[in-house]
Amino acid sequence: MRDSASVQVPRNVADTLRQAAGRGAERSALSWQDRSVSWGELDGAVDALARGLRALDLPDSAGYPARVVLALPNVPQFAEAYFAVLRAGLVAVPVNPGYTGRELIQVLTDSGAVVLIGTPEVFRAVGAALPQYRFAVGTADGVPDLAELARPGEPVATTAGGEDLAVLLYTSGTEGSPKGAMLSHRALLANHTQVARIEPPVLGPDDVVLLVLPLFHAFGLNSGLGAVAYHGAHGILVERFDPAETLRLIAAHRVTIVVGVPPMFVAWSLLPDLAGAFGSVRAAISGAAPLDPAAARRFQEATGDVLAEGYGLTETAPVLTSTLVSPAHKRGSVGQPIPGVALKLVGAGGEEILLAEDDFDDLAPGSPGTDPGEIVVSGDNLFSGYWPDRRDGPDEDGWWATGDVAYADADGDLFLVDRLRELILVSGFNVYPYEVEQVLRAHPAVSEAAVLGDPHPYTGQTVKAYVVTRSAVTVEELISHCERNLARFKCPTAIEFRPALPHSATGKVRKAALRD
């Protein structure tokens, strides 16, 4: 396998595609259903669409190039349109094609997009209001097909790059209204060079990667599609996650790298064909949320030592830590910072619990580790701030507070505790919802749980749990279970049974929807 760290770093994300085609134009780039596209074919299609976009002569606005919203599932046209937008020097705005009309219009309006590339369902949801230019993938009444935008001609040279805005990614809105994270070409490319420095290499040109994560999400977009282009690997596009069907595809294509989120690994861990299907897989990477330890145990027992976990955010393009950096993968840990990422833990009073420059060496072996603190990070993969004025981005020294809480053990491995703004204060004592959720999920009758703080006249807040069950259980039984495993102030005072919990596209519980 070629040394991944030797990949030449371009200035524009779309240049990775050109480099992949230059290294092997006939090599498979993407496979989808019964269709396969080579790197040379994909590069040519991107050129044709980039020429068409430039021919529209789209005006700059708000101090940035024109924004192009991509509301598509995991199909080849997403890759063609995404790289074409970047090659044309414009800004890509990937969004969930399953959004309602209200949600789509909110993104279109907030971003000021002048082009929408979407499915027929997207155009039916949006109506005729927005935006100025529309192109469909599939038959949509009155909307030209995306293929009509393509223009023949010479290869398109990129002009934008580096600090120029490349992608505007709207956060999932688990805590409220989505915000547009501004990701530059520099940030997106930096995360590839950082991951490429992990030893042994995570990904190379001979790998086959399962692209089932939504491409409108940072994990699927950059750690999936972007990484495939950066390394010139082969991506297998899957529109929707189905546990049994994805296992079939993994086996049929001899997939070597799987990038997924916890709900996928939970579902796979329950299937009898898991071991056989994953026989070709050398790395299965779980991210975006903590993986249930019981599911991780089942998965590892079936597949061997292929599972790795990591942590990152949309704003960090996205990878920050990985168990691939740790000497050993500990269940429940998200590992240590990847090369090129500095990380420290900061307490509620601003005290530094764990210093980045100490590289975790201050923790003596066998010590109890650190107190929980907010994760604060620095690195070239950080975003430029939130749209449109770059607010709340990295400070003048390059540090950015993630809003996530973690502690480090004596080896320096990180364990996520919770979101800082989800912290519940009961009589002045900190309650981390994730800890309570873990205890609830450990009950055999509980399949899923989410915990929030409710106002209380005496204690300030009290703990409320929303629970999905797999078998009969009473509120009293669950509260007694919590009392046996948690300090009294952490125990729920109210439990509400739900048939299901609302989730984002990557499986996170949308707690804002529960509050509503």
Side-chain angles (χ1 to χ4, degrees):
M1 181 182 295
R2 176 177 54 84
D3 180 5
S4 298
S6 67
V7 175
Q8 182 180 354
V9 181
R11 289 190 71 252
N12 185 297
V13 171
D15 291 340
T16 61
L17 180 64
R18 184 86 79 206
Q19 291 178 356
R23 290 192 297 267
E26 301 305 317
R27 290 172 61 93
S28 294
L30 298 172
S31 294
W32 174 71
Q33 297 182 359
D34 58 353
R35 175 184 172 189
S36 184
V37 181
S38 71
W39 283 112
E41 290 169 337
L42 183 58
D43 188 52
V46 167
D47 266 340
L49 286 179
R51 283 189 292 268
L53 286 166
R54 284 188 174 177
L56 295 177
D57 196 23
L58 302 172
D60 294 357
S61 64
Y64 299 98
R67 275 74 67 199
V68 180
V69 168
L70 309 176
L72 297 171
N74 290 17
V75 294
Q77 292 92 334
F78 182 105
E80 294 169 5
Y82 172 64
F83 288 115
V85 169
L86 301 184
R87 186 167 287 177
L90 306 176
V91 178
V93 188
V95 300
N96 187 343
Y99 270 177
T100 64
R102 179 191 63 80
E103 291 167 320
L104 288 164
I105 290 171
Q106 181 183 30
V107 171
L108 287 163
T109 302
D110 188 75
S111 66
V114 293
V115 181
L116 171 60
I117 299 173
T119 63
E121 293 77 13
V122 164
F123 289 106
R124 283 194 288 270
V126 171
L130 296 165
Q132 182 179 359
Y133 297 99
R134 299 167 157 225
F135 301 96
V137 172
T139 304
D141 292 341
V143 182
D145 190 276
L146 179 63
E148 297 181 31
L149 179 63
R151 298 286 185 274
E154 297 297 316
V156 176
T158 56
T159 54
E163 294 297 328
D164 294 327
L165 179 61
V167 174
L168 191 57
L169 271 180
Y170 280 80
T171 59
S172 62
T174 57
E175 294 303 317
S177 298
K179 297 183 292 185
M182 302 171 66
L183 291 166
S184 65
H185 291 273
R186 175 263 304 158
L188 294 163
L189 291 166
N191 209 221
H192 297 309
T193 62
Q194 291 164 339
V195 172
R197 290 169 56 190
I198 296 174
E199 293 292 343
V202 180
L203 180 61
D206 298 326
D207 279 306
V208 181
V209 185
L210 186 72
L211 298 178
V212 66
L213 284 175
L215 298 181
F216 57 78
H217 186 274
F219 200 15
L221 182 70
N222 209 37
S223 298
L225 178 62
V228 166
Y230 182 84
H231 292 279
H234 179 195
I236 310 301
L237 288 165
V238 184
E239 288 186 57
R240 293 179 182 85
F241 175 71
D242 176 88
E245 175 61 12
T246 48
L247 283 189
R248 186 191 71 79
L249 289 171
I250 289 168
H253 289 279
R254 301 294 295 168
V255 167
T256 59
I257 303 293
V258 172
V259 182
V261 291
M264 297 178 185
F265 290 95
V266 171
W268 282 327
S269 74
L270 298 172
L271 296 181
D273 299 333
L274 174 62
F278 268 72
S280 60
V281 176
R282 63 180 183 82
I285 301 164
S286 177
L291 177 59
D292 175 62
R297 186 180 303 108
R298 290 194 303 270
F299 188 90
Q300 286 181 301
E301 288 173 352
T303 63
D305 191 23
V306 301
L307 180 64
E309 293 186 67
Y311 160 70
L313 300 134
T314 298
E315 293 88 345
T316 59
V319 184
L320 288 171
T321 73
S322 174
T323 56
L324 293 169
V325 183
S326 303
H329 180 187
K330 301 168 185 171
R331 289 195 183 104
S333 170
V334 293
Q336 298 184 14
I338 63 173
V341 169
L343 183 150
K344 58 187 178 182
L345 300 181
V346 178
E351 70 280 10
E352 293 185 335
I353 298 169
L354 192 64
L355 306 181
E357 56 267 27
D358 291 335
D359 196 24
F360 300 98
D361 289 339
D362 278 357
L363 294 174
S367 73
T370 70
D371 292 329
E374 183 178 10
I375 301 172
V376 181
V377 294
S378 177
D380 288 340
N381 57 316
L382 266 59
F383 76 140
S384 304
Y386 293 108
W387 176 264
D389 54 3
R390 299 176 180 255
R391 69 186 184 279
D392 300 330
D395 65 21
E396 59 184 14
D397 295 319
W399 291 96
W400 182 68
T402 65
D404 288 324
V405 178
Y407 68 87
D409 70 4
D411 298 316
D413 288 307
L414 288 175
F415 293 78
L416 294 179
V417 176
D418 230 313
R419 292 290 296 170
L420 190 64
R421 51 180 164 264
E422 288 183 10
L423 182 71
I424 302 170
L425 284 174
V426 178
S427 299
F429 293 99
N430 291 350
V431 178
Y432 295 102
Y434 180 60
E435 180 185 13
V436 184
E437 290 162 359
Q438 280 187 306
V439 168
L440 284 166
R441 284 197 296 264
H443 192 284
V446 175
S447 60
E448 195 170 18
V451 168
L452 292 84
D454 263 3
H456 191 277
Y458 302 113
T459 61
Q461 284 183 302
T462 188
V463 178
K464 181 175 182 179
Y466 298 82
V467 171
V468 179
T469 61
R470 58 170 61 95
S471 58
V473 66
T474 66
V475 169
E476 290 73 21
E477 287 172 330
L478 289 181
I479 290 178
S480 295
H481 168 73
C482 289
E483 289 173 344
R484 290 192 297 270
N485 293 278
L486 294 166
R488 183 169 294 275
F489 71 90
K490 297 179 182 179
C491 292
T493 57
I495 295 179
E496 183 177 321
F497 293 114
R498 291 285 185 95
L501 299 181
H503 292 88
S504 70
T506 53
K508 292 182 181 179
V509 176
R510 297 183 63 247
K511 293 190 175 181
L514 284 176
R515 290 191 183 96
D516 294 340

